[in-house]
Amino acid sequence: MTNSKPPIWRDQRFWRIAGQFLAVFLTAVVITMLWGNLNRNLQQLGIQFGFNFLKQQASFDIGETLIRYNPSDTYSRALWVGLINSLRVAVAGIFFSTIVGVSAGIGRLSDNWLVRNITLVYVEIFRNTPLLLQLLFWYFAVFISFPKAENKISLWGFIGISQNGVEFPWFTLSPEFSALVLGLIFYTGAFIAEIVRGGIQSVPKGQWEAGRSLGLKPGLLMRLVIFPQALRVIIPPLTSQYLNLTKNSSLAIAIGYPDVYFVASTTYNQTGRAVEVILLLMLTYLILSLIISVVMNLFNRTVQIPER
Amino acid sequence: MRKSALILAIAPLIFTLSACGGESGQTANITGTPGSNPAAQATRNRWDTIKSRGKLICGVSGEVPGFSFVGTDGKYGGIDVDVCRAIAAALFDNPDAVEFRNLNAKERFTALQTGEVDVLSRNTTWTLSRDTSQGLEFAPVVFYDGQAIMVRKNGNIKSLADLKGKAICVQTGTTTEQNLADQMRKRGITYKPVVFEDINITFATYAEGRCDGITADRSALVSRRTTLPKPDDNIILNEAISSEPLAPAVAKGDTKWGDTVKWVVYSLVKAEELGINSQNLAQFTNSNDPDIKRFLGTEGNLGEGIGLTKDFAARIVKHVGNYAEIYDRNLGPKTKLNLARGQNQLWTKGGLLYSPPFR
């Protein structure tokens, strides 16, 4: 019996598996308890859990819609309108905050004193004040303070700016949407700038020297040598900023932009279906976050050094 | 290394055991009262909870002068606040045994359902769906209101039709939001709702000129107009959009507590009808009128039917006054709001206020 196995409770593998089982069991117990508690409380109030309310007529209006909607549509239709409004903010926000962030991040390392310090001030101000405050600032101090529609400011003859929003010849952006998107762009952009700066600084000095000795001009050096290498460091934290931006778009409720959180909270208020609506919202944001994660992870894979 | 792995593995086990322990303890507790629904049991205790706590927790808005607002003296005042004080007077003979919680339109029902507040006295409209499917139980109406629209005087808007294509500020979570949509749909007027959660932001946005109109209950518009930078530059359109009976509410399933709140409100109306107020109360204690005797508890024991003292109505009148006193103090001609009694007059004077008999 020289090769006898150790007793099972001394076996690490056993404990690892048992630990997983216990964790699952524990979760199940907690969920069952919470579920039981919820049902007891709802029963006591004479409320039935269920999603049938989604088919009821919403009977509230929504200020901005990309798809056809009127108050006689259902709550589920209203929620779709909200979701599409949220996606509109998220897509525009992610796109422009990347541009702002990358520019400011590179600007932070510029040889030009003015550029370096302007970006420094921008990053420090926007990173160190609460987003809610910034949104209220954009809304009340900027967009609502524009002149009335009759005396709108005209830019290059085709863009009109007034209290009613930013008017292009073919569409208008409401002040609520504009304030929300700009707020998110500049707030998230400041964080992205720091990520980009960190990424660029993580590229070994030798790479700069090698590039310069090849005769590359600063612009080309950045684009061809430094930035591709920096991306490996930049993308993972960038993903997390995109997630933050998407989730932060729910602060729209403070300045009256009808995003999915806003419509959901109206729905919950009109129907009293707090639990169902919150579950739906959690699921929505979870799915959005997972989609962003998956896309960014695929992108991340393409910039990593291929290993054998 | 191995030791820490072991601890990690065991930790959930310990948690599970303690969780099970907690649960079985709870089960024992529940089965301790056989034949009764434990959930119903819990609600029926609301009355005792308040009594043993020694004070009432009352959900108010805190943002609407005349209804519930913190005044310059730092104290809550308003008709909704006085209803809370009347309940406290009936329960504890002390109108100050109330803790006020500010709730916004969205939070209010959940706060009531989860027991954060004992009663909601917060210019809330009594509607069928709230009464039936949202777990609420309404007490009698304390203020009959109607929805209206406020616009700027120089805005050239005289009626709802003039609001075609205009932006209207609304607060979310209110019946107002749906009524506006209903009315505009009925009349085929397209408009642009700009909706906010916070009442202060809703009015600030209107004040800044983003919206051409703002809609809310008429009383709320009158009240909030006093807080605008130039109150007189704003007019309230005469068109009534809806009827809004504002009433206190309690959580459903607790008859005793619901009855208490209900009869406190009726006491205020009845006192006015009988001509009893906080100043002349003493003169009525020796009255020979059986109606007054029953009301003040000098004869019979009506109050005990709802677990209160015989003289609960006398306590209310002594500390808070009757409905007319409350109205005059908060909304009447001597206040900034200067709202006419209108529908909120006694039935004997052509209004809608009516109390069932105290017998």
Side-chain angles (χ1 to χ4, degrees):
Chain A
M1 296 285 268
T2 48
N3 222 359
S4 73
K5 278 180 160 177
I8 193 157
W9 61 86
R10 303 273 313 262
D11 187 345
Q12 237 189 53
R13 267 186 314 174
F14 166 75
W15 282 113
R16 259 185 220 143
I17 296 166
Q20 298 279 329
F21 272 107
L22 281 174
V24 171
F25 178 66
L26 177 74
T27 314
V29 167
V30 169
I31 289 176
T32 316
M33 278 169 65
L34 291 176
W35 184 251
N37 186 39
L38 171 71
N39 273 326
R40 262 202 307 281
N41 286 332
L42 288 179
Q43 191 192 354
Q44 163 191 320
L45 291 164
I47 301 174
Q48 287 251 308
F49 183 88
F51 288 92
N52 281 336
F53 70 95
L54 287 174
K55 292 185 203 130
Q56 287 168 21
Q57 186 176 308
S59 68
F60 60 86
D61 213 334
I62 300 179
E64 280 180 65
T65 57
L66 284 189
I67 56 174
R68 189 194 51 77
Y69 170 84
N70 68 61
S72 57
D73 286 330
T74 59
Y75 281 112
S76 53
R77 180 86 182 174
L79 288 167
W80 274 117
V81 170
L83 180 60
I84 290 168
N85 280 347
S86 284
L87 290 176
R88 186 172 163 220
V89 170
V91 170
I94 286 175
F95 182 76
F96 289 106
S97 68
T98 310
I99 295 177
V100 169
V102 171
S103 315
I106 295 174
R108 288 278 277 115
L109 299 168
S110 167
D111 293 332
N112 184 319
W113 183 90
L114 192 64
V115 172
R116 205 166 59 235
N117 283 287
I118 287 177
T119 47
L120 173 74
V121 169
Y122 155 65
V123 167
E124 293 306 323
I125 288 179
F126 281 83
R127 245 166 38 115
N128 293 305
T129 47
L131 176 56
L132 182 60
L133 193 75
Q134 292 182 23
L135 290 179
L136 292 174
F137 172 82
W138 283 108
Y139 190 57
F140 280 103
V142 181
F143 284 96
I144 295 288
S145 304
F146 283 133
K148 297 214 177 299
E150 302 91 73
N151 325 315
K152 65 184 165 200
I153 308 167
S154 180
L155 290 182
W156 307 294
F158 70 97
I159 302 176
I161 299 179
S162 73
Q163 266 187 340
N164 288 355
V166 187
E167 288 170 44
F168 295 91
W170 49 96
F171 66 100
T172 302
L173 300 177
S174 74
E176 290 79 26
F177 175 83
S178 314
L180 178 64
V181 170
L182 277 188
L184 287 171
I185 289 173
F186 284 104
Y187 179 76
T188 316
F191 285 89
I192 294 178
E194 286 297 88
I195 291 167
V196 168
R197 181 177 65 92
I200 291 173
Q201 284 179 330
S202 76
V203 177
K205 232 175 148 188
Q207 296 291 316
W208 292 84
E209 287 162 359
R212 272 195 287 263
S213 67
L214 283 172
L216 289 174
K217 288 189 178 133
L220 276 182
L221 172 64
M222 179 59 81
R223 216 173 70 211
L224 299 176
V225 181
I226 307 299
F227 207 70
Q229 298 187 65
L231 270 182
R232 291 174 196 144
V233 178
I234 290 174
I235 289 176
L238 187 64
T239 307
S240 133
Q241 288 308 321
Y242 288 169
L243 294 178
N244 283 347
L245 186 144
T246 308
K247 290 180 286 183
N248 283 340
S249 68
S250 62
L251 285 172
I253 196 158
I255 53 168
Y257 176 73
D259 76 326
V260 68
Y261 181 75
F262 193 105
V263 176
S265 83
T266 305
T267 303
Y268 133 61
N269 211 284
Q270 306 288 13
T271 58
R273 299 282 170 182
V275 182
E276 292 90 336
V277 172
I278 297 292
L279 280 177
L280 274 181
L281 262 185
M282 284 165 74
L283 200 68
T284 307
Y285 281 103
L286 182 69
I287 291 172
L288 285 182
S289 295
L290 287 177
I291 291 172
I292 294 173
S293 283
V294 168
V295 171
M296 290 301 286
N297 279 332
L298 288 176
F299 181 43
N300 192 27
R301 218 172 279 170
T302 63
V303 298
Q304 296 303 317
I305 305 171
E307 287 178 55
R308 274 194 271 187
Chain B
M1 165 71 197
R2 185 181 278 183
K3 208 172 187 179
S4 62
L6 190 67
I7 291 171
L8 275 181
I10 288 178
L13 178 71
I14 295 167
F15 279 122
T16 316
L17 286 176
S18 57
C20 288
E23 198 182 32
S24 60
Q26 205 180 353
T27 317
N29 216 351
I30 288 166
T31 47
T33 46
S36 73
N37 179 358
Q41 184 81 26
T43 23
R44 238 178 277 139
N45 287 334
R46 171 62 53 184
W47 208 91
D48 300 327
T49 311
I50 300 164
K51 264 298 200 189
S52 61
R53 191 199 295 134
K55 67 176 176 195
L56 178 77
I57 299 181
C58 194
V60 295
S61 153
E63 307 267 19
V64 188
F67 285 80
S68 56
F69 200 68
V70 180
T72 42
D73 54 355
K75 283 178 93 177
Y76 276 90
I79 186 168
D80 289 341
V81 164
D82 280 345
V83 168
C84 301
R85 294 202 203 279
I87 300 169
L91 287 169
F92 306 111
D93 202 10
N94 175 9
D96 295 319
V98 191
E99 183 183 323
F100 293 101
R101 297 261 170 91
N102 282 12
L103 300 170
N104 70 26
K106 209 181 94 183
E107 298 162 340
R108 54 185 168 176
F109 301 131
T110 316
L112 193 61
Q113 288 164 354
T114 54
E116 289 285 320
V117 298
D118 302 320
V119 58
L120 187 71
S121 181
R122 192 206 168 281
N123 46 354
T124 297
T125 306
W126 184 348
T127 72
L128 189 147
S129 68
R130 285 175 179 174
D131 201 352
T132 53
S133 58
Q134 291 203 31
L136 304 190
E137 198 66 65
F138 283 89
V141 174
V142 295
F143 191 87
Y144 289 92
D145 212 339
Q147 188 180 338
I149 290 188
M150 180 162 73
V151 296
R152 264 175 290 278
K153 236 181 208 165
N154 59 11
N156 236 348
I157 295 164
K158 302 277 178 290
S159 69
L160 278 185
D162 297 334
L163 282 161
K164 188 173 170 126
K166 306 273 188 191
I168 303 176
C169 282
V170 200
Q171 191 193 2
T172 186
T174 58
T175 45
T176 322
E177 194 180 358
Q178 290 175 313
N179 293 334
L180 179 68
D182 282 357
Q183 278 295 333
M184 294 308 223
R185 188 148 56 102
K186 192 170 92 185
R187 301 175 190 211
I189 305 170
T190 51
Y191 69 106
K192 203 173 140 36
V194 185
V195 185
F196 299 91
E197 187 174 56
D198 186 292
I199 187 170
N200 295 317
I201 292 190
T202 317
F203 276 86
T205 310
Y206 167 75
E208 289 287 332
R210 162 75 177 106
C211 301
D212 304 284
I214 181 166
T215 185
D217 290 349
R218 183 175 293 273
S219 65
L221 288 178
V222 171
S223 146
R224 294 288 312 207
R225 181 166 64 171
T226 62
T227 64
L228 287 176
K230 285 183 186 159
D232 295 335
D233 286 359
N234 302 280
I235 49 166
I236 297 170
L237 298 182
N238 272 327
E239 277 169 293
I241 294 179
S242 65
S243 53
E244 308 280 333
L246 309 182
V250 298
K252 215 182 193 71
D254 192 346
T255 317
K256 186 179 174 187
W257 177 228
D259 282 347
T260 307
V261 176
K262 190 192 291 176
W263 285 96
V264 167
V265 175
Y266 282 138
S267 299
L268 298 171
V269 175
K270 188 73 181 177
E272 185 182 357
E273 201 182 314
L274 295 172
I276 309 173
N277 61 38
S278 57
Q279 305 305 314
N280 66 13
L281 177 64
Q283 299 161 25
F284 284 89
T285 42
N286 297 320
S287 167
N288 287 323
D289 184 337
D291 203 14
I292 292 173
K293 281 179 133 175
R294 277 195 302 272
F295 180 72
L296 294 178
T298 49
E299 187 181 288
N301 56 354
L302 286 174
E304 287 168 9
I306 39 176
L308 295 170
T309 53
K310 282 186 219 173
D311 66 337
F312 80 98
R315 286 177 169 187
I316 295 171
V317 178
K318 183 174 84 187
H319 293 296
V320 189
N322 64 26
Y323 186 89
E325 286 179 278
I326 292 178
Y327 191 96
D328 291 342
R329 182 159 66 223
N330 299 303
L331 307 168
K334 283 182 191 156
T335 66
K336 250 201 230 172
L337 304 180
N338 191 10
L339 279 175
R341 281 282 291 264
Q343 294 169 306
N344 297 292
Q345 185 58 272
L346 288 183
W347 65 284
T348 48
K349 294 178 183 166
L352 294 170
L353 297 184
Y354 184 94
S355 163
F358 275 64
R359 64 161 66 246

